Amino acid sequence: MPTFANGTGLIVSTTSGFPLGNVGSYVPATGLTPVDQRIYFRIKNASTEMLYFGFNWETLAPSTPISTFSNIYMHIYDPNNNLVATIHLPGTVGSAGFIGSAIAGVPGAQAAWQTAVIGPHIGLTRATGYTPLSFNPASFGGLNGDYWVNFYQSNDGGATHISGGESMLAKFFDMSVVQGTALVTGRVHCNEWAFSVYNPNAGDIQDPLASSNAAFYAYTTDSVVTKVYFPTNGFQPLSYIIAVNDFGVINTGNWVNDRKSINLPTFDTFHLRKGFDVFLNIPDTTIYHVCTLPKPPSLVNPTISGCPPGPYNIRFNAPQPGDYYMVFDLNGVPGYQQFTTDKYVELINQSPGIITYVWDGKDGLGNPVPANTSFPIKFSFRKGRINVPLYDDELNVNGFSVDAVLPLNAVKTILYWDDTKLTNMGSDCSSNNNNYTGTGYQDTAVGMKSPAHAWNGTGDPTFTIPADSVNYAGTFNNHDNTQCNDFGNARLINTWAWGIDTSFTQTLTLTCISVSGTVWDDANNSAHGDTTNIFTSGEHGTNAGGGLYASLVDPISGTVLSTVQVNSDGTYTLPNCPVGAIGMKIVLSTTAGVPGYPAPAGSIPPTWVNTSPLIRTFNSLSTATNITGQDFGIEQVPNADWQNYTIAVPAQNSLLSLNGAGTSASPGPLSGADPEDGVMGNGKTAVITLVPANESLYYNGVLVTNNTVIPNYNPSKLQVMFTDVSVIELVFSYAFIDAAGQQGTSNTYTINMSTTLATTFASFTGRSTDLGNLLSWTAANETNGTMYTIQRSYDGYSFTSIGRVNGNGNGATVDHTFTDINPIPNTPNYYRLQWTDPSGALAYSNLVTIASRSGNAILDVSPNPFRDQVTVRLSLEKGEKVLLRLLDSKGMLLKQAQYQSVKGVNSLPVEGLSTLPPSVYFIQIVLNEQVFVRKVFN
């Protein structure tokens, strides 16, 4: 009650006829006062703090006579809800606890009001204040926390209530927590304060034409303090409950709907329960801590992803939990204009972090926004949301105000409302619960700087102050003392605001650009692990045999925006890149990305190494200019040949130069191949990765140790010294380093010491077929009794015998084959032959490597029987050349066709077969690394 003329008193009413029901901090017939209606006072230190209080209770009535009550009692409960004191509140002037003292030169009632404003007179302090009663918590258990009070009338010393319920108004009241004699403000609060307006100049009657200009302080759950207050004139509620909250008129969890004003002929506290603590002065910040002033939402980059016509992902970073808003300013007029192309987006109850809004690309009228449109988006963060639902407040002619108090922020905040759910109730004034003032209006997007949300006889469609009165039957509604033509009658009208509103604006453009580059075969490692100087003269682009994909990755979500297979010349072009983006990524991988899903890991085929990073990061320009030159460098590592020789047992400590002819009995030089550098050997860089366990290697007369690097390798300088001829096998490993400085995989060099075998090899080869891995070899001078043992390895070092073939050439040249029908899956298979002659001497062949069987498969060969053509359906892991051959039952070639296939399913025909006679035929399908055979009939 800031001014004496605008009487606003605390009320308690439990009578059946009171329109608000049981209001105030009353004493129920059974149980305790509802939590929301209790008036609390907080004790921080029970050993030093006390409560001082005084009241002036009188009749709550619309007409005289008004009388002062002397039978009012107050219960005090401790923080554990135990009743610890019952205090009689006197009703006579001069009594402690009665606010009615005189001040010289001040009219009586105004003097009493002024003593209440001054506060309790304690000792020598506040001498012109009222004389209080006190409560010392130290005498009642000494607990710290929230104590609370309620009030009732009793004619038997407080033992029982009066019959029929209480109806009373404390026109003056004060509850002050005091430490020593100093007032400690901001300790008294209630969730549902109940007040009535009375007219001090008309005998304290309830006067519907009297205004209340009280002020309240709400402490939000996110630690913001806001002030709600009313102008000196124009807020004429008669009686009202103020219950500030974050949910609106009712808490169903859907604030967008719960915030709408509603008809409510009969009040029930269910609609206002569990609101904020509401104080009559600024809360004590040593107890009710205040949040720090947050930063506005910050830009993430790219702010927008997606391409015309949408959808788009609009992103920003939320600094704290709260409500976030976006205005798409599409109509060219600054700010938001309702019912235009401008679009308004509410994002309620967001958690901190990156917020993504999926926009369908349509404006506020539902039309697609054209490509290349540039427009500003305002991003706002709002914290300290408060709803101010006012019940049965007939007139609010001049609106009301909400100020942000703590943390220090704007002096005036913006008010918003939605009164569109209000409807007429009844058509006359036969009941005070009727209302025929019509539907209200809404201002949910732009809002109005407070004071705002005024109403009178209508919902104030122009949002003017003062709100329009309406002439009913010759009398204006705000002068006829009739409630049914007052817009606020029998309605719960809500207004909302935020204590903090921070924002920033960003201009966005609806366009996408492409990003392109080349994967270079960086044979000389000019990139050196960087993304510059990848290409040098003479190098060419590559797709590593068709197994590479490039994916454009959003840096915020880590998801793929687009993906393409790298072309055979190493080039690629990726669409869907946003403009003005920072930290965009391109990932080079053997796995294709899937748009909208997490990016694959960077990878290249196992026989390749990367000379630049497999992930490139770049920034796109703010203009719609395509980006080029996003290059990568890869190169293939060199291979070292597997070598195996059999020599006669050498002399102890003899030296053998490893530069022979490379035949089975003449150990040759180190050899290999590199896809970029060609033949590896003489003049290249070799590495001895593992020296022999039983003999010694020397290069240029110097003992070789593990991982010895030999630049400019000269085969004549590499020698082995046979220091232990009792061991019949010498094994070491070696590799090559290519011009790019990359070391290839090691292979073994083996020398067996044995009697020279009569049978020698002319060749040993192998390939994959659909029946297994087919091995073929030719033996020269094959003698009877020679035995061939087929050995297999998964790593090229450790071999296991998988079969045997007996020779019977009797000195002739003989061809042999062996099929491994169960090769090791999902890995290359290494094969060698160990052959033994009748004398027991043995030797080894060269090493044959057959790649793991691919996922290629024959899906169908049809029709079968055929007439004029046969169609082969193939599922292939990659595109490659395919040769189809039709053979007769004796293996003669009758027809063939060659195709360039694609990855996936292919349907390939062999045509012109109508002249073939009925018989059995074979279709042979020849791929780069596999051969399939299928039987067909005519």
Side-chain angles (χ1 to χ4, degrees), residues 24-301:
S25 191
Y26 69 96
V27 178
T30 59
L32 299 175
T33 305
V35 171
D36 293 277
Q37 293 175 250
R38 300 173 186 173
I39 297 176
Y40 290 91
F41 62 94
R42 170 65 70 89
I43 296 298
K44 182 179 180 181
N45 187 338
S47 63
T48 61
E49 295 176 350
M50 296 176 59
L51 178 74
Y52 288 85
F53 53 93
F55 296 87
N56 186 326
W57 288 98
E58 64 181 28
T59 310
L60 174 62
S63 60
T64 56
I66 301 295
S67 60
T68 300
F69 291 119
S70 296
N71 63 343
I72 307 298
Y73 290 83
M74 179 174 78
H75 286 324
I76 299 180
Y77 297 81
D78 70 11
N80 293 326
N81 295 326
N82 298 312
L83 177 61
V84 293
T86 299
I87 299 171
H88 176 229
L89 302 176
T92 57
V93 175
S95 299
F98 182 80
I99 301 178
S101 303
I103 299 178
V106 180
Q110 187 170 352
W113 167 79
Q114 189 168 326
T115 64
V117 173
I118 294 170
H121 174 201
I122 306 172
L124 299 177
T125 61
R126 294 175 294 278
T128 55
Y130 72 93
T131 301
L133 290 171
S134 64
F135 168 77
N136 186 354
S139 301
F140 298 92
L143 297 178
N144 296 330
D146 272 335
Y147 291 76
W148 59 277
V149 301
N150 57 20
F151 307 92
Y152 65 103
Q153 290 180 274
S154 175
N155 294 328
D156 57 4
T160 61
H161 294 207
I162 63 172
S163 61
E166 294 88 8
S167 183
M168 53 195 189
L169 177 147
K171 65 177 181 180
F172 310 129
F173 66 96
D174 178 68
M175 296 175 63
S176 292
V177 175
V178 176
Q179 188 170 42
T181 59
L183 301 182
V184 184
T185 59
R187 295 289 189 88
V188 179
H189 62 88
C190 180
N191 289 6
E192 291 183 13
W193 288 100
F195 296 99
S196 188
V197 178
Y198 67 95
N199 190 341
N201 296 315
D204 293 347
I205 64 169
Q206 282 187 291
D207 184 353
L209 300 181
S211 296
S212 173
N213 69 320
F216 308 93
Y217 297 85
Y219 179 70
T220 69
T221 52
D222 50 3
S223 305
V224 175
V225 177
T226 52
K227 178 183 179 181
V228 179
Y229 60 104
F230 300 87
T232 302
N233 294 301
F235 177 51
Q236 298 165 302
L238 195 58
S239 295
Y240 66 101
I241 292 173
I242 185 162
V244 182
N245 59 58
D246 64 356
F247 55 79
V249 301
I250 194 169
N251 192 2
T252 69
N254 181 0
W255 181 60
V256 173
N257 187 64
D258 294 346
R259 68 192 183 186
K260 297 178 181 180
S261 303
I262 60 171
N263 296 328
L264 194 64
T266 302
F267 179 76
D268 63 80
T269 57
F270 177 74
H271 283 82
L272 300 178
R273 287 188 298 183
K274 298 182 179 179
F276 299 142
D277 291 345
V278 178
F279 298 78
L280 303 186
N281 43 29
I282 297 176
D284 180 356
T285 56
T286 67
I287 296 176
Y288 306 98
H289 300 290
V290 178
C291 72
T292 58
L293 187 64
K295 296 179 181 179
S298 59
L299 181 70
V300 297
N301 222 310

Side-chain angles (χ1 to χ4, degrees), residues 767-771 853-858 872 874-876 883-885 922-927 929-934:
R767 63 174 178 166
S768 172
T769 73
D770 59 339
L771 299 178
R853 182 176 295 182
S854 69
N856 300 334
I858 303 295
V872 178
L874 288 168
S875 176
L876 301 178
L883 179 65
L884 301 182
R885 307 173 75 224
F922 296 91
I923 286 286
Q924 188 180 65
I925 302 101
V926 182
L927 306 177
E929 297 179 350
Q930 280 185 282
V931 177
F932 298 93
V933 178
R934 292 292 184 269

Side-chain angles (χ1 to χ4, degrees), residues 757-761 764 777 779-791 801-810 814 816-818 832-845:
L757 278 73
T759 302
T760 60
F761 272 145
F764 178 47
W777 67 93
N781 303 317
E782 184 177 87
T783 59
N784 289 331
T786 298
M787 182 174 65
Y788 305 96
T789 301
I790 299 90
Q791 296 182 337
S801 297
I802 61 171
R804 291 181 180 178
V805 173
N806 293 324
N808 54 5
N810 196 22
V814 182
H816 297 281
T817 62
F818 178 85
R832 71 181 182 184
L833 291 178
Q834 180 193 75
W835 78 97
T836 308
D837 66 11
S839 68
L842 59 85
Y844 292 91
S845 70

Side-chain angles (χ1 to χ4, degrees), residues 596-937:
Y597 287 84
S603 61
I604 53 178
T607 58
W608 294 74
V609 294
N610 54 297
T611 62
S612 71
L614 295 178
I615 299 177
R616 281 198 69 134
T617 301
F618 67 96
N619 302 330
S620 62
L621 301 175
S622 58
T623 58
T625 303
N626 293 332
I627 296 175
T628 60
Q630 300 301 301
D631 294 350
F632 293 87
I634 63 174
E635 74 106 23
Q636 296 184 80
V637 297
N639 296 316
D641 293 333
W642 180 87
Q643 300 191 54
N644 190 289
Y645 302 97
T646 300
I647 64 174
V649 176
Q652 184 80 22
N653 295 322
S654 63
L655 287 168
L656 174 66
S657 295
L658 303 183
N659 64 342
T663 60
S664 60
S666 180
L670 307 182
S671 63
D674 181 77
E676 293 88 9
D677 299 345
V679 175
M680 303 299 288
N682 187 25
K684 303 298 184 179
T685 300
V687 182
I688 306 301
T689 57
L690 183 67
V691 298
N694 54 304
E695 313 292 1
S696 299
L697 276 180
Y698 289 86
Y699 184 79
N700 199 24
V702 178
L703 180 68
V704 174
T705 58
N706 289 340
N707 299 310
T708 294
V709 177
I710 304 174
N712 194 23
Y713 162 66
N714 184 340
S716 64
K717 295 182 179 181
L718 183 62
Q719 295 178 303
V720 58
M721 176 179 284
F722 296 97
T723 57
D724 186 0
V725 295
S726 64
V727 179
I728 63 172
E729 184 181 62
L730 173 152
V731 179
F732 67 90
S733 300
Y734 71 100
F736 286 100
I737 298 175
D738 63 13
Q742 302 295 328
Q743 180 174 318
T745 55
S746 297
N747 220 327
T748 56
Y749 191 111
T750 303
I751 299 176
N752 299 287
M753 288 155 278
S754 179
T755 305
T756 302
L757 278 73
T759 302
T760 60
F761 272 145
S763 66
F764 178 47
T765 60
R767 63 174 178 166
S768 172
T769 73
D770 59 339
L771 299 178
N773 288 343
L774 176 64
L775 304 171
S776 304
W777 67 93
T778 300
N781 303 317
E782 184 177 87
T783 59
N784 289 331
T786 298
M787 182 174 65
Y788 305 96
T789 301
I790 299 90
Q791 296 182 337
R792 182 181 67 199
S793 171
Y794 68 91
D795 58 4
Y797 299 99
S798 302
F799 285 87
T800 303
S801 297
I802 61 171
R804 291 181 180 178
V805 173
N806 293 324
N808 54 5
N810 196 22
T813 298
V814 182
D815 294 325
H816 297 281
T817 62
F818 178 85
T819 300
D820 180 6
I821 61 175
N822 293 304
I824 303 170
N826 304 318
T827 185
N829 284 249
Y830 302 89
Y831 297 93
R832 71 181 182 184
L833 291 178
Q834 180 193 75
W835 78 97
T836 308
D837 66 11
S839 68
L842 59 85
Y844 292 91
S845 70
N846 57 290
L847 189 69
V848 168
T849 304
I850 301 178
S852 62
R853 182 176 295 182
S854 69
N856 300 334
I858 303 295
L859 300 179
D860 182 49
V861 178
S862 63
N864 193 9
F866 67 89
R867 296 189 64 184
D868 57 346
Q869 78 169 39
V870 174
T871 298
V872 178
R873 290 181 68 245
L874 288 168
S875 176
L876 301 178
E877 283 195 330
K878 63 181 180 180
E880 59 180 291
K881 290 183 180 180
V882 178
L883 179 65
L884 301 182
R885 307 173 75 224
L886 181 70
L887 310 175
D888 64 14
S889 59
K890 298 180 180 178
M892 293 291 294
L893 176 65
L894 304 176
K895 195 82 173 182
Q896 71 178 17
Q898 184 168 302
Y899 297 93
Q900 176 62 47
S901 67
V902 297
K903 180 182 178 181
V905 177
N906 296 258
S907 294
L908 309 176
V910 180
E911 300 174 319
L913 309 180
S914 59
T915 60
L916 294 177
S919 182
V920 176
Y921 297 90
F922 296 91
I923 286 286
Q924 188 180 65
I925 302 101
V926 182
L927 306 177
N928 291 341
E929 297 179 350
Q930 280 185 282
V931 177
F932 298 93
V933 178
R934 292 292 184 269
K935 184 185 294 185
V936 292
F937 303 91

